[in-house]
Amino acid sequence: MKEEEVNRCQIQEWYPRFKSDSIKTMIHELPESFIEYLIDDHGPFLLPLSIDDNDALPNRIHKPEEEEDFEVSEGSEDESEQPSPPPSFPELEMKIKESIKALGGSIFPKLNWSAPKDAAWISSTGNLCCNSFSEVAILLRASDSLVHDLCHVYDSCSDKTVSRPPKFFLALRKWYSSLRPEMEFRCFVRNGILVGVSQREVTGFYPALVEKKDELITIIQRFFIYKVKGNFESESYTFDIYVTNDDRVKLLDFNPWGAFTLPLLFAWEELEVNSNEEGDHLEFRLVESQCGVRPGLKTAVPYDYLDTSPGSGWDEFLKKADEELGQQIRSPQAGA
């Protein structure tokens, strides 16, 4: 994998070209001071001061009697230590506030490559829906997975020359509460050929998907041929899509081939074999029974950034899960 292949998958790079086929998004360049705030893991967990006093967390009730526990006696060696003042980013906050309003009042945030899915637990809603700058800031600050974007995105590149991109961007994407997770799919393109499609949400079994499988294949192939093929420069890559109730396709994301991108219901070796076969061989995989559910992939870590390299913990876990699934399928009681 090359640096340029990773760079093409940044949302600020591909979104302008595919805007008409994606969900509405507004993108802002982030100041370096905000990046430093995100990667600072030495100080306390501080949220930025909001110019609107609109905090993502409720303010602590002031109890003067509790302050006695924190008073420093005169002459103490700690008396010179003062708490760090909360950071403030008023210009960025105003831009984000205006964008959230323009996008209907609710958005979900994403950096160049990834969204802070592992931080959804800290949100009052339990998801990535944000209505204010403070809610965006707490998700980004609480996310460990965003360290991938900030510090390690080029680690798998054979021609690595830098540790991070020169600029970081925040994409604010319109929030749709009606989206159905089972209608999101990951498509695998090898040497310009669509060789595989996987259900993205593999932690549940959805019988309606199985019934619609042939129709979905046609819809996805048509979208690839007329909208994606020839319009994205890389030869090998993945892209994520959402199929609406009226069979329209919305482009959600691009990711590099291999490396930190999760193959979901495939193994990368299988996809390589598919790409080497003669003709356009497309394999479409769904969770087709309760036995095929992979609950182990329902983690707080974004699917795209799990370490599934050979020998990793997830690599061993997935191999074991595949073996157990095979035993279930071969068992006479399977599906009973």
Side-chain angles (χ1 to χ4, degrees):
M1 184 173 63
K2 305 292 186 181
E3 281 187 8
E4 63 179 11
E5 294 176 309
V6 175
N7 288 335
R8 291 183 189 127
C9 296
Q10 297 178 97
I11 191 168
Q12 77 274 7
E13 296 292 330
W14 65 260
Y15 178 76
R17 186 178 309 170
F18 295 95
K19 182 178 180 179
S20 61
D21 293 300
S22 188
I23 60 177
K24 192 173 183 181
T25 302
M26 302 186 78
I27 301 174
H28 300 281
E29 183 177 340
L30 292 173
E32 191 62 28
S33 58
F34 189 74
I35 301 304
E36 293 172 356
Y37 161 71
L38 293 181
I39 62 178
D40 178 22
D41 59 356
H42 299 294
F45 189 103
L46 295 175
L47 288 179
L49 285 175
S50 171
I51 57 177
D52 290 335
D53 196 27
N54 186 8
D55 293 329
L57 295 176
N59 291 325
R60 186 175 183 273
I61 298 174
H62 179 65
K63 294 182 179 181
E65 64 271 16
E66 293 183 359
E67 295 180 358
E68 297 178 2
D69 296 335
F70 300 96
E71 290 181 356
V72 180
S73 60
E74 187 175 352
S76 169
E77 61 181 10
D78 295 329
E79 64 181 341
S80 61
E81 295 183 5
Q82 298 294 328
S84 302
S88 180
F89 309 96
E91 293 184 8
L92 177 62
E93 181 174 356
M94 283 303 301
K95 292 178 181 177
I96 290 177
K97 180 180 178 181
E98 293 170 359
S99 293
I100 290 176
K101 183 178 180 181
L103 291 169
S106 297
I107 59 90
F108 69 94
K110 177 185 176 77
L111 291 191
N112 299 32
W113 290 275
S114 56
K117 294 180 182 178
D118 63 319
W121 61 270
I122 204 171
S123 167
S124 60
T125 59
N127 55 40
L128 300 188
C129 181
C130 297
N131 303 300
S132 68
F133 168 73
S134 294
E135 292 177 345
V136 171
I138 192 174
L139 284 175
L140 299 181
R141 184 68 175 83
S143 174
D144 289 329
S145 69
L146 290 189
V147 175
H148 173 271
D149 279 25
L150 299 172
C151 305
H152 301 292
V153 73
Y154 298 116
D155 286 359
S156 299
C157 295
S158 59
D159 61 344
K160 178 182 177 181
T161 58
V162 295
S163 60
R164 50 158 284 181
K167 296 179 180 179
F168 285 100
F169 294 83
L170 174 64
L172 305 176
R173 318 204 73 183
K174 185 176 177 65
W175 177 263
Y176 296 92
S177 59
S178 60
L179 292 187
R180 299 157 53 199
E182 71 270 20
M183 296 308 293
E184 186 177 349
F185 303 93
R186 171 156 294 172
C187 307
F188 301 86
V189 180
R190 183 66 169 168
N191 298 324
I193 300 173
L194 182 63
V195 296
V197 177
S198 172
Q199 181 178 330
R200 187 78 167 81
E201 208 293 279
V202 297
T203 66
F205 168 51
Y206 303 93
L209 278 187
V210 180
E211 298 173 4
K212 199 176 181 181
K213 184 175 182 178
D214 292 339
E215 183 181 350
L216 285 169
I217 292 175
T218 301
I219 292 170
I220 294 171
Q221 283 182 314
R222 185 187 305 123
F223 180 80
F224 171 67
I225 293 171
Y226 292 104
K227 298 294 185 177
V228 179
K229 188 175 183 179
N231 293 321
F232 191 73
E233 291 91 342
S234 296
E235 284 293 307
S236 301
Y237 54 93
T238 75
F239 63 97
D240 293 344
I241 58 169
Y242 181 83
V243 180
T244 66
N245 290 334
D246 57 358
D247 295 337
R248 289 178 296 118
V249 178
K250 291 294 182 180
L251 181 61
L252 300 180
D253 207 2
F254 282 98
N255 282 293
W257 178 274
F260 51 78
T261 306
L262 198 67
L264 301 173
L265 294 175
F266 289 97
W268 285 115
E269 294 80 5
E270 294 176 301
L271 292 164
E272 292 283 355
V273 170
N274 287 355
S275 66
N276 291 330
E277 293 183 358
E278 293 185 4
D280 294 347
H281 179 70
L282 171 61
E283 185 170 357
F284 188 13
R285 290 191 179 179
L286 301 172
V287 176
E288 300 200 18
S289 71
Q290 199 63 44
C291 292
V293 171
R294 302 187 102 178
L297 290 184
K298 192 167 187 176
T299 71
V301 182
Y303 292 155
D304 300 344
Y305 306 116
L306 290 172
D307 179 12
T308 57
S309 58
S312 69
W314 274 103
D315 176 52
E316 296 302 317
F317 172 83
L318 293 174
K319 285 181 180 177
K320 185 175 181 180
D322 284 335
E323 291 174 0
E324 292 179 352
L325 175 59
Q327 292 174 0
Q328 291 176 16
I329 293 174
R330 290 190 297 271
S331 171
Q333 286 77 32

